[in-house]
Amino acid sequence: MAASFHGLSLIVRMGVIPGLVVLLAACGAEDDIAAVKQPGPPTCPATYVKNAPTKASRNGDLVPEGSSTALLCVYSFPRPGAKYSLHQPIPLAADKVDGLADYLNTLDPADLESNACTLAGHDQYQVILGYPDDTNVTVRVDYNCGTVSAAGAVRQVSQMKTLLGFWPERAIKTYRTPSQTPSSPLIRSGTAATGN
């Protein structure tokens, strides 16, 4: 009986415990998976597809470090039944690219279960980061839900004007147009981002 117990103890020490260590290490690695860069220079897609928010499938940085360029892709709010079409790509000043990446990577994970999206009509955006090795990463911006996402990671944006502020010409157009008066309706719900 003692020998049997000793053998069982040895199996546990030699097999199960190391296996658990490997399993835990693997789980930790999955939590910090980096965004996968796509081949090719940064280019704005022709349309923005309005999809329901999806749950995050990874943690870790939203975007890889080392980006050298960034484009803000602006998609005009469409007429009923039409698509969000590309209105204009706006390049980011070179001295702001590192700051943009840092900002995106410090955003908190989005709580999509308690987050609610607004019903107000807005232009939509994507940010395309370019890298020196001729690759890119697309950051999808959902203005109505106050989220940004890239390669399975989803982050919460509490103030869209902070993100758009990296492109001052767009931030001014977005937030200081005559049509934006105190009487203009803006439906706020949950933790969706606001323009204020």
Side-chain angles (χ1 to χ4, degrees):
M1 187 63 129
S4 175
F5 177 78
H6 176 71
L8 180 59
S9 175
L10 185 60
I11 291 172
V12 168
R13 287 199 308 266
M14 296 298 291
V16 175
I17 293 175
L20 286 174
V21 171
V22 170
L23 180 61
L24 290 172
C27 289
E30 289 179 0
D31 284 346
D32 293 324
I33 294 174
V36 177
K37 296 188 289 186
Q38 301 300 317
T43 305
C44 290
T47 59
Y48 177 99
V49 180
K50 190 77 174 76
N51 295 326
T54 55
K55 290 185 177 180
S57 60
R58 71 174 180 88
N59 293 319
D61 286 345
L62 186 71
V63 298
E65 295 180 355
S67 52
S68 55
T69 60
L71 281 176
L72 178 68
C73 310
V74 182
Y75 300 87
S76 299
F77 183 71
R79 298 184 309 275
K83 296 179 179 178
Y84 282 91
S85 297
L86 180 64
H87 172 64
Q88 66 179 141
I90 307 176
L92 182 63
D95 61 348
K96 294 185 177 180
V97 175
D98 287 343
L100 173 65
D102 291 343
Y103 167 77
L104 292 170
N105 285 333
T106 56
L107 292 172
D108 292 330
D111 182 2
L112 297 178
E113 293 186 3
S114 63
N115 187 35
C117 301
T118 69
L119 300 178
H122 289 288
D123 292 350
Q124 296 289 358
Y125 305 92
Q126 296 191 95
V127 176
I128 317 295
L129 295 174
Y131 293 82
D133 59 354
D134 197 33
T135 58
N136 70 84
V137 168
T138 297
V139 179
R140 178 185 172 83
V141 181
D142 191 322
Y143 195 112
N144 291 71
C145 296
T147 59
V148 291
S149 57
V154 185
R155 301 287 186 266
Q156 193 74 50
V157 180
S158 60
Q159 300 288 329
M160 276 294 172
K161 70 179 180 182
T162 303
L163 173 59
L164 296 178
F166 282 93
W167 292 267
E169 63 275 32
R170 186 62 195 175
I172 291 171
K173 182 173 182 179
T174 302
Y175 296 105
R176 297 182 185 173
T177 59
S179 62
Q180 290 189 340
T181 64
S183 60
S184 299
L186 175 61
I187 302 170
R188 292 192 175 102
S189 177
T191 58
T194 71
N196 297 322

